[in-house]
Structures are given as structure tokens and as C-alpha cells.
Amino acid sequence: MPGTDGVDRRGLLKIAGGSLAALGLTAAGCGGGSGSADGTVTLRYAWWGSEDRAKRINETIALFEKKHPKIKVKTDFQPYLDFWKKFNTQASGGNPPDVFQNAIGFLRKYDAKNVLLDLNQQVKAGNLSMGNFRAGLEKFGEVDGKLLGVPVGSNSMALVIDKKVFARAGVTPEPGWTWDDFHRAMRTIRQTQGRAGDTGYYGVMYLYDLYLRQQGKAFFTEDGLGFTEADLTDWWTTGYEGVKAGVYADPKKIAQVKPKSGVTAEIGACEFTWDNFTVRYSSEGTSDYGLAPIPTTDGRKTGQYLGSLMLSASRRTKHPEEAAQFIDFMVHDPEVGRIMGYDRGVLTTTEQYAAFEPADDVNKEIAAYEKRLVDSGVLEKITPHPAGADVAESAFLRIAEEMAMGKRSVGDAVEQFFTESKTALGA
């Protein structure tokens, strides 16, 4: 899932999932925002991210207020963990922001807590357009017929590689390579370069989802898990054996260098992550980094989809029309696209995508990677995420790490994951 800005996934998911589960929200109550005697409306807009993202977003807000003088926007941004802490407090008190940054893993949970506004009515009223989205992204924020989020940037899973290490090892990942090819390549890197191949693929939930989708399954169904204990046993056994053989990085070493990547710390030669995170590697490390394709089971099916950060509105807002107009502006206005660039992923609407021309090599490669995915026809619909998905993801990462460190056997790890996930998902 995009947008964590390098924050440790285990910590942030624990906080987001645990506190949300305790909200117990109802639909009644007051809304956010305010109005004035002269008809001016004030919206509260909150997001997570870095100072650079805040600077860009503040520029877009100034542009919006200039074009909509009767709507003022009060902003609030935090690092990821702090964002969710504050948001949960506001939501439990019945006063969440009018508009806020959101992600796929939280849609069903927030919807079940009556936090999210169904934006379909605003689309029908002409305050929000869901036209001109790339590659079917207009469907990304839909849950059970309700429009709960509007995408602002797209990304997809990819393999970030240290190009120099791969070149010295004579390994060239190409579209259609298989998992057998991947594991063989990792062994070659270990044998020829004295460095682990991968930093810990076995603990990446979104990658395991793709592996399952390649076989006609999925990590999640609409109301639970879409795979068996035997499936996970096979996946984690391969990972554990690779760690013990030194083909995959020692998780203790990876933990020691956090928040820096194990790739830029030169512990491993590659790792699976979201394509738009590639910018991070170039700023952290001293080598050349690039994007390689996802391995397949059959030489064709990758199981991939375009993911996205999105904008959602509060069900409690007193100004649903203005909130929808604000979201519409942020996803369609060409100048907003030029200002934001690929900060939150490749721009989702055709107006903004055409308006921004990446000048640096990293962003050009991200755009080219997603274009290849779209043109190749391999993209599918995203797997549904049931309420509690964030807790299951956190458990997957934590327990995989414990297994890799030898704190749990593979069998015990699998059993523990299913126990925790079934509780989180209400199964």
C-alpha cells in the first residue's frame, strides 16, 4: 500500500488497526468544517506525509481557494503514525476532518464504523466527476456499490533492484520470468556477489497476494482469508530455507538498519515494494536502482493491479457539496498535477497525467513501468480488503519476521497467523 513514507509497517499498522477497532462509531453527531455569515465555508483537510508533500499540497490549496473564493481549507498533516492517532481521536469524538487521505486497507473498516461519506450522490449532483481516470482506477474506491474514496495516484508492486549488483552477477529479470527463475537468480547473486539476493520477500503481504492471484486465489476475500494453511506453509518454508542458506537476507541485519532499506544498506540486492517508492532508494543509496517485473507462475499472469492513495470525505461533514468539489479539483485540475507530480504515485486522471512530464530518470522509469503494465494487459481488479485487513497485514509481517529469525517454527508461525487473522477479521 502506498504512502507510508518509509515508516515501519508493523508499528503503523498496529496503531491504525488497534485504535480503529475500538472506535465503535455511529452515524449520529455533528460534522466537521464551518460556515460564516457571508456564505464562506471552511473545510478541514488532513493527510500524512513529509514536509515536501505538505509544501506541494499547500500550493494546490492556494490554487483551489483562488478559484473557489467561498471555500476555505484548513490543513493538518502529520507523519503516518501521528496522523492515525489524531484521526482516531477525532473520529471517536464525532469530529473527523471533512476530507482526508485514505488507503484501500481501511475502506471497509471505516465504512463499518460509519465514518465515510458515500460520494455517489455528489457524482450524480455534478459536484464530483469520476470520468477520465486511467486504467479503471475510477473503481478503486468502490465498496459494495458505495464510492468511498477517489484515487489521487497509482502504483503497483515491483522488484526494486541494485542494477550494478545484478549486472555483475549476469542476472537480467525480464517480463514473464518465473518464481523458479527468481529463486535461481537470488542464489546466483549470493554465490557470485557475496550478498543476499532479496531482503525478505516472504513477509510482504501484497506480494504474497500476487502469488496467490497467479494461482486463482487471493490473500483476502470480501469477508476473510482466501488461502489455506498449506498454502502459507509452502510460501514460508521456501523463505525460511533461503534465509538459513544466506540466499535471503538475515532479518536481524535488516532490522538493525531500519528505517534505511536493506538494499541501500547493501545487505540485499533487491526487494519487493511499491513502484513509486523507487525515489527513496536513489536518495538513500550510492548505487543505481531500477524496477524489475514481478515473477510469475506461468510466464504471463502476474496478478498485479494498480493501487492508490485516495481522498475520502467524512460522513459527518456539514459541507458534502464543497468537500466533493474540493476532491474533484484535486484529482482533475491540470495545474494540481504539475504541482504534485508523482509524490503520491503516478497521476490517476488523464488531465493530470498529461499535464506532468517527469524530468528525472527515476520518475520516468516509474511512469514507464506502469505504462508497460497497462499496455501488456496483465492488470486485474484489486483484491477486496475486509474490515480488519490492516491487522492481518501487520500480523503477517511480524510473524514472518519471527519465523525467519528462528523464534517460531514454520508450522507454529502459520498457526499463529491464522489464529490472529481470524480474530481480526471476525471469522
Side-chain angles (χ1 to χ4, degrees), residues 354-387:
F356 176 71
E357 187 70 31
D360 61 288
D361 292 339
V362 174
N363 279 310
K364 286 180 180 179
E365 185 167 6
I366 294 170
Y369 178 79
E370 290 198 12
K371 186 176 187 303
R372 285 195 300 271
L373 290 179
V374 173
D375 293 346
S376 66
V378 302
L379 291 174
E380 305 173 5
K381 292 183 178 179
I382 191 169
T383 304
H385 283 59

mmCIF file of all heavy atoms in Angstrom, residues 354-387:
data_model
loop_
_atom_site.group_PDB
_atom_site.id
_atom_site.type_symbol
_atom_site.label_atom_id
_atom_site.label_comp_id
_atom_site.label_asym_id
_atom_site.label_seq_id
_atom_site.Cartn_x
_atom_site.Cartn_y
_atom_site.Cartn_z
ATOM 1 N N ALA A 354 -1.370 13.979 -18.269
ATOM 2 C CA ALA A 354 -0.839 14.677 -19.440
ATOM 3 C C ALA A 354 -0.140 15.982 -19.054
ATOM 4 O O ALA A 354 0.775 16.429 -19.751
ATOM 5 C CB ALA A 354 -1.972 14.974 -20.421
ATOM 6 N N ALA A 355 -0.549 16.570 -17.931
ATOM 7 C CA ALA A 355 -0.006 17.871 -17.536
ATOM 8 C C ALA A 355 1.390 17.773 -16.935
ATOM 9 O O ALA A 355 2.161 18.734 -16.994
ATOM 10 C CB ALA A 355 -0.942 18.542 -16.538
ATOM 11 N N PHE A 356 1.718 16.612 -16.354
ATOM 12 C CA PHE A 356 3.014 16.476 -15.688
ATOM 13 C C PHE A 356 3.947 15.614 -16.521
ATOM 14 O O PHE A 356 3.650 14.453 -16.819
ATOM 15 C CB PHE A 356 2.847 15.848 -14.308
ATOM 16 C CG PHE A 356 4.161 15.590 -13.608
ATOM 17 C CD1 PHE A 356 4.925 16.634 -13.120
ATOM 18 C CD2 PHE A 356 4.636 14.291 -13.456
ATOM 19 C CE1 PHE A 356 6.137 16.398 -12.476
ATOM 20 C CE2 PHE A 356 5.848 14.043 -12.818
ATOM 21 C CZ PHE A 356 6.597 15.094 -12.330
ATOM 22 N N GLU A 357 5.081 16.177 -16.895
ATOM 23 C CA GLU A 357 6.101 15.457 -17.658
ATOM 24 C C GLU A 357 7.319 15.266 -16.759
ATOM 25 O O GLU A 357 8.052 16.210 -16.492
ATOM 26 C CB GLU A 357 6.494 16.249 -18.900
ATOM 27 C CG GLU A 357 7.429 15.502 -19.838
ATOM 28 C CD GLU A 357 6.761 14.354 -20.556
ATOM 29 O OE1 GLU A 357 5.552 14.451 -20.820
ATOM 30 O OE2 GLU A 357 7.454 13.353 -20.850
ATOM 31 N N PRO A 358 7.539 14.038 -16.250
ATOM 32 C CA PRO A 358 8.677 13.838 -15.338
ATOM 33 C C PRO A 358 9.997 14.156 -16.009
ATOM 34 O O PRO A 358 10.242 13.767 -17.158
ATOM 35 C CB PRO A 358 8.577 12.353 -14.969
ATOM 36 C CG PRO A 358 7.758 11.729 -16.049
ATOM 37 C CD PRO A 358 6.813 12.785 -16.518
ATOM 38 N N ALA A 359 10.864 14.869 -15.302
ATOM 39 C CA ALA A 359 12.140 15.282 -15.870
ATOM 40 C C ALA A 359 13.293 14.402 -15.413
ATOM 41 O O ALA A 359 14.310 14.298 -16.102
ATOM 42 C CB ALA A 359 12.426 16.739 -15.484
ATOM 43 N N ASP A 360 13.149 13.755 -14.262
ATOM 44 C CA ASP A 360 14.251 12.949 -13.727
ATOM 45 C C ASP A 360 14.089 11.486 -14.128
ATOM 46 O O ASP A 360 12.987 11.009 -14.402
ATOM 47 C CB ASP A 360 14.313 13.069 -12.207
ATOM 48 C CG ASP A 360 13.047 12.565 -11.538
ATOM 49 O OD1 ASP A 360 12.008 13.259 -11.651
ATOM 50 O OD2 ASP A 360 13.064 11.483 -10.948
ATOM 51 N N ASP A 361 15.187 10.758 -14.123
ATOM 52 C CA ASP A 361 15.201 9.375 -14.594
ATOM 53 C C ASP A 361 14.346 8.454 -13.739
ATOM 54 O O ASP A 361 13.704 7.530 -14.250
ATOM 55 C CB ASP A 361 16.636 8.845 -14.638
ATOM 56 C CG ASP A 361 17.477 9.517 -15.712
ATOM 57 O OD1 ASP A 361 16.879 10.077 -16.658
ATOM 58 O OD2 ASP A 361 18.716 9.488 -15.608
ATOM 59 N N VAL A 362 14.325 8.687 -12.430
ATOM 60 C CA VAL A 362 13.570 7.798 -11.542
ATOM 61 C C VAL A 362 12.080 7.868 -11.840
ATOM 62 O O VAL A 362 11.415 6.837 -12.011
ATOM 63 C CB VAL A 362 13.837 8.151 -10.061
ATOM 64 C CG1 VAL A 362 12.940 7.317 -9.153
ATOM 65 C CG2 VAL A 362 15.297 7.904 -9.716
ATOM 66 N N ASN A 363 11.535 9.075 -11.905
ATOM 67 C CA ASN A 363 10.106 9.210 -12.182
ATOM 68 C C ASN A 363 9.756 8.772 -13.595
ATOM 69 O O ASN A 363 8.671 8.245 -13.839
ATOM 70 C CB ASN A 363 9.656 10.646 -11.944
ATOM 71 C CG ASN A 363 9.405 10.944 -10.477
ATOM 72 O OD1 ASN A 363 8.698 10.198 -9.804
ATOM 73 N ND2 ASN A 363 9.998 12.005 -9.970
ATOM 74 N N LYS A 364 10.670 8.973 -14.531
ATOM 75 C CA LYS A 364 10.437 8.472 -15.889
ATOM 76 C C LYS A 364 10.324 6.952 -15.885
ATOM 77 O O LYS A 364 9.482 6.373 -16.583
ATOM 78 C CB LYS A 364 11.583 8.909 -16.807
ATOM 79 C CG LYS A 364 11.550 10.382 -17.192
ATOM 80 C CD LYS A 364 12.723 10.723 -18.103
ATOM 81 C CE LYS A 364 12.708 12.184 -18.504
ATOM 82 N NZ LYS A 364 13.867 12.541 -19.368
ATOM 83 N N GLU A 365 11.164 6.296 -15.096
ATOM 84 C CA GLU A 365 11.131 4.837 -15.035
ATOM 85 C C GLU A 365 9.846 4.339 -14.376
ATOM 86 O O GLU A 365 9.271 3.334 -14.789
ATOM 87 C CB GLU A 365 12.346 4.299 -14.286
ATOM 88 C CG GLU A 365 12.418 2.775 -14.298
ATOM 89 C CD GLU A 365 13.755 2.234 -13.835
ATOM 90 O OE1 GLU A 365 14.603 3.016 -13.394
ATOM 91 O OE2 GLU A 365 13.935 1.011 -13.921
ATOM 92 N N ILE A 366 9.385 5.053 -13.340
ATOM 93 C CA ILE A 366 8.126 4.679 -12.694
ATOM 94 C C ILE A 366 6.976 4.767 -13.688
ATOM 95 O O ILE A 366 6.147 3.853 -13.790
ATOM 96 C CB ILE A 366 7.856 5.591 -11.484
ATOM 97 C CG1 ILE A 366 8.900 5.353 -10.393
ATOM 98 C CG2 ILE A 366 6.454 5.340 -10.919
ATOM 99 C CD1 ILE A 366 8.857 6.381 -9.272
ATOM 100 N N ALA A 367 6.915 5.875 -14.426
ATOM 101 C CA ALA A 367 5.855 6.053 -15.419
ATOM 102 C C ALA A 367 5.936 4.985 -16.499
ATOM 103 O O ALA A 367 4.917 4.423 -16.923
ATOM 104 C CB ALA A 367 5.943 7.441 -16.037
ATOM 105 N N ALA A 368 7.139 4.675 -16.950
ATOM 106 C CA ALA A 368 7.318 3.670 -17.997
ATOM 107 C C ALA A 368 6.919 2.279 -17.495
ATOM 108 O O ALA A 368 6.327 1.482 -18.236
ATOM 109 C CB ALA A 368 8.770 3.659 -18.471
ATOM 110 N N TYR A 369 7.231 1.994 -16.244
ATOM 111 C CA TYR A 369 6.888 0.695 -15.660
ATOM 112 C C TYR A 369 5.371 0.501 -15.652
ATOM 113 O O TYR A 369 4.855 -0.542 -16.070
ATOM 114 C CB TYR A 369 7.444 0.611 -14.240
ATOM 115 C CG TYR A 369 7.109 -0.668 -13.514
ATOM 116 C CD1 TYR A 369 7.816 -1.838 -13.766
ATOM 117 C CD2 TYR A 369 6.095 -0.711 -12.562
ATOM 118 C CE1 TYR A 369 7.510 -3.019 -13.092
ATOM 119 C CE2 TYR A 369 5.789 -1.875 -11.889
ATOM 120 C CZ TYR A 369 6.499 -3.030 -12.157
ATOM 121 O OH TYR A 369 6.186 -4.198 -11.487
ATOM 122 N N GLU A 370 4.642 1.521 -15.192
ATOM 123 C CA GLU A 370 3.190 1.389 -15.153
ATOM 124 C C GLU A 370 2.587 1.372 -16.556
ATOM 125 O O GLU A 370 1.588 0.686 -16.796
ATOM 126 C CB GLU A 370 2.577 2.498 -14.304
ATOM 127 C CG GLU A 370 2.880 2.319 -12.828
ATOM 128 C CD GLU A 370 1.960 3.114 -11.920
ATOM 129 O OE1 GLU A 370 0.930 3.643 -12.412
ATOM 130 O OE2 GLU A 370 2.262 3.200 -10.721
ATOM 131 N N LYS A 371 3.170 2.106 -17.473
ATOM 132 C CA LYS A 371 2.670 2.086 -18.849
ATOM 133 C C LYS A 371 2.803 0.690 -19.450
ATOM 134 O O LYS A 371 1.898 0.209 -20.143
ATOM 135 C CB LYS A 371 3.405 3.109 -19.709
ATOM 136 C CG LYS A 371 2.838 3.246 -21.121
ATOM 137 C CD LYS A 371 3.546 4.333 -21.906
ATOM 138 C CE LYS A 371 2.865 4.582 -23.241
ATOM 139 N NZ LYS A 371 2.769 3.362 -24.090
ATOM 140 N N ARG A 372 3.926 0.032 -19.161
ATOM 141 C CA ARG A 372 4.111 -1.337 -19.662
ATOM 142 C C ARG A 372 3.059 -2.277 -19.078
ATOM 143 O O ARG A 372 2.539 -3.154 -19.778
ATOM 144 C CB ARG A 372 5.510 -1.837 -19.323
ATOM 145 C CG ARG A 372 6.618 -1.259 -20.180
ATOM 146 C CD ARG A 372 7.910 -2.035 -20.045
ATOM 147 N NE ARG A 372 8.427 -2.051 -18.679
ATOM 148 C CZ ARG A 372 9.250 -1.141 -18.182
ATOM 149 N NH1 ARG A 372 9.632 -0.111 -18.945
ATOM 150 N NH2 ARG A 372 9.679 -1.227 -16.944
ATOM 151 N N LEU A 373 2.749 -2.086 -17.803
ATOM 152 C CA LEU A 373 1.734 -2.928 -17.181
ATOM 153 C C LEU A 373 0.372 -2.727 -17.842
ATOM 154 O O LEU A 373 -0.342 -3.696 -18.128
ATOM 155 C CB LEU A 373 1.627 -2.603 -15.681
ATOM 156 C CG LEU A 373 2.801 -3.007 -14.792
ATOM 157 C CD1 LEU A 373 2.530 -2.587 -13.354
ATOM 158 C CD2 LEU A 373 3.054 -4.510 -14.866
ATOM 159 N N VAL A 374 0.026 -1.472 -18.070
ATOM 160 C CA VAL A 374 -1.258 -1.178 -18.708
ATOM 161 C C VAL A 374 -1.288 -1.723 -20.128
ATOM 162 O O VAL A 374 -2.246 -2.400 -20.540
ATOM 163 C CB VAL A 374 -1.542 0.334 -18.704
ATOM 164 C CG1 VAL A 374 -2.797 0.647 -19.511
ATOM 165 C CG2 VAL A 374 -1.683 0.852 -17.274
ATOM 166 N N ASP A 375 -0.236 -1.462 -20.889
ATOM 167 C CA ASP A 375 -0.195 -1.879 -22.297
ATOM 168 C C ASP A 375 -0.147 -3.397 -22.457
ATOM 169 O O ASP A 375 -0.649 -3.938 -23.449
ATOM 170 C CB ASP A 375 1.015 -1.254 -23.003
ATOM 171 C CG ASP A 375 0.907 0.260 -23.130
ATOM 172 O OD1 ASP A 375 -0.196 0.787 -22.928
ATOM 173 O OD2 ASP A 375 1.926 0.902 -23.425
ATOM 174 N N SER A 376 0.455 -4.088 -21.481
ATOM 175 C CA SER A 376 0.586 -5.547 -21.602
ATOM 176 C C SER A 376 -0.711 -6.283 -21.307
ATOM 177 O O SER A 376 -0.842 -7.466 -21.621
ATOM 178 C CB SER A 376 1.675 -6.048 -20.649
ATOM 179 O OG SER A 376 1.295 -5.856 -19.294
ATOM 180 N N GLY A 377 -1.667 -5.592 -20.686
ATOM 181 C CA GLY A 377 -2.952 -6.213 -20.400
ATOM 182 C C GLY A 377 -2.941 -7.181 -19.229
ATOM 183 O O GLY A 377 -3.871 -7.984 -19.080
ATOM 184 N N VAL A 378 -1.935 -7.126 -18.361
ATOM 185 C CA VAL A 378 -1.860 -8.072 -17.247
ATOM 186 C C VAL A 378 -2.611 -7.596 -16.012
ATOM 187 O O VAL A 378 -2.847 -8.381 -15.077
ATOM 188 C CB VAL A 378 -0.390 -8.364 -16.852
ATOM 189 C CG1 VAL A 378 0.377 -8.921 -18.031
ATOM 190 C CG2 VAL A 378 0.290 -7.108 -16.301
ATOM 191 N N LEU A 379 -2.987 -6.314 -15.976
ATOM 192 C CA LEU A 379 -3.593 -5.764 -14.769
ATOM 193 C C LEU A 379 -4.986 -6.341 -14.521
ATOM 194 O O LEU A 379 -5.768 -6.557 -15.442
ATOM 195 C CB LEU A 379 -3.687 -4.248 -14.871
ATOM 196 C CG LEU A 379 -2.358 -3.493 -14.821
ATOM 197 C CD1 LEU A 379 -2.585 -2.018 -15.072
ATOM 198 C CD2 LEU A 379 -1.655 -3.708 -13.481
ATOM 199 N N GLU A 380 -5.274 -6.565 -13.246
ATOM 200 C CA GLU A 380 -6.550 -7.104 -12.820
ATOM 201 C C GLU A 380 -7.185 -6.161 -11.804
ATOM 202 O O GLU A 380 -6.597 -5.146 -11.439
ATOM 203 C CB GLU A 380 -6.350 -8.493 -12.182
ATOM 204 C CG GLU A 380 -5.629 -9.488 -13.070
ATOM 205 C CD GLU A 380 -5.302 -10.780 -12.341
ATOM 206 O OE1 GLU A 380 -5.724 -10.931 -11.164
ATOM 207 O OE2 GLU A 380 -4.632 -11.650 -12.930
ATOM 208 N N LYS A 381 -8.377 -6.511 -11.318
ATOM 209 C CA LYS A 381 -9.015 -5.736 -10.264
ATOM 210 C C LYS A 381 -8.334 -6.043 -8.941
ATOM 211 O O LYS A 381 -7.843 -7.141 -8.711
ATOM 212 C CB LYS A 381 -10.505 -6.081 -10.168
ATOM 213 C CG LYS A 381 -11.324 -5.627 -11.360
ATOM 214 C CD LYS A 381 -12.793 -5.940 -11.158
ATOM 215 C CE LYS A 381 -13.630 -5.452 -12.328
ATOM 216 N NZ LYS A 381 -15.070 -5.774 -12.145
ATOM 217 N N ILE A 382 -8.330 -5.071 -8.051
ATOM 218 C CA ILE A 382 -7.701 -5.252 -6.753
ATOM 219 C C ILE A 382 -8.485 -6.243 -5.909
ATOM 220 O O ILE A 382 -9.710 -6.361 -6.036
ATOM 221 C CB ILE A 382 -7.580 -3.901 -6.014
ATOM 222 C CG1 ILE A 382 -6.676 -4.040 -4.785
ATOM 223 C CG2 ILE A 382 -8.943 -3.345 -5.645
ATOM 224 C CD1 ILE A 382 -6.301 -2.718 -4.163
ATOM 225 N N THR A 383 -7.788 -6.992 -5.076
ATOM 226 C CA THR A 383 -8.427 -7.914 -4.151
ATOM 227 C C THR A 383 -9.217 -7.137 -3.109
ATOM 228 O O THR A 383 -8.724 -6.158 -2.568
ATOM 229 C CB THR A 383 -7.360 -8.757 -3.421
ATOM 230 O OG1 THR A 383 -6.557 -9.412 -4.390
ATOM 231 C CG2 THR A 383 -8.002 -9.775 -2.506
ATOM 232 N N PRO A 384 -10.447 -7.545 -2.806
ATOM 233 C CA PRO A 384 -11.193 -6.858 -1.746
ATOM 234 C C PRO A 384 -10.457 -6.947 -0.411
ATOM 235 O O PRO A 384 -9.793 -7.935 -0.120
ATOM 236 C CB PRO A 384 -12.512 -7.646 -1.686
ATOM 237 C CG PRO A 384 -12.610 -8.342 -2.994
ATOM 238 C CD PRO A 384 -11.204 -8.636 -3.412
ATOM 239 N N HIS A 385 -10.587 -5.898 0.402
ATOM 240 C CA HIS A 385 -9.986 -5.878 1.729
ATOM 241 C C HIS A 385 -11.103 -5.806 2.767
ATOM 242 O O HIS A 385 -11.768 -4.779 2.882
ATOM 243 C CB HIS A 385 -9.059 -4.667 1.893
ATOM 244 C CG HIS A 385 -7.747 -4.817 1.220
ATOM 245 N ND1 HIS A 385 -7.621 -5.040 -0.121
ATOM 246 C CD2 HIS A 385 -6.481 -4.781 1.712
ATOM 247 C CE1 HIS A 385 -6.333 -5.130 -0.446
ATOM 248 N NE2 HIS A 385 -5.630 -4.984 0.648
ATOM 249 N N PRO A 386 -11.306 -6.861 3.533
ATOM 250 C CA PRO A 386 -12.358 -6.826 4.554
ATOM 251 C C PRO A 386 -11.935 -5.977 5.743
ATOM 252 O O PRO A 386 -10.754 -5.647 5.911
ATOM 253 C CB PRO A 386 -12.497 -8.295 4.960
ATOM 254 C CG PRO A 386 -11.129 -8.870 4.716
ATOM 255 C CD PRO A 386 -10.607 -8.158 3.497
ATOM 256 N N ALA A 387 -12.898 -5.615 6.589
ATOM 257 C CA ALA A 387 -12.570 -4.924 7.834
ATOM 258 C C ALA A 387 -11.630 -5.811 8.643
ATOM 259 O O ALA A 387 -11.852 -7.008 8.782
ATOM 260 C CB ALA A 387 -13.847 -4.634 8.626
#
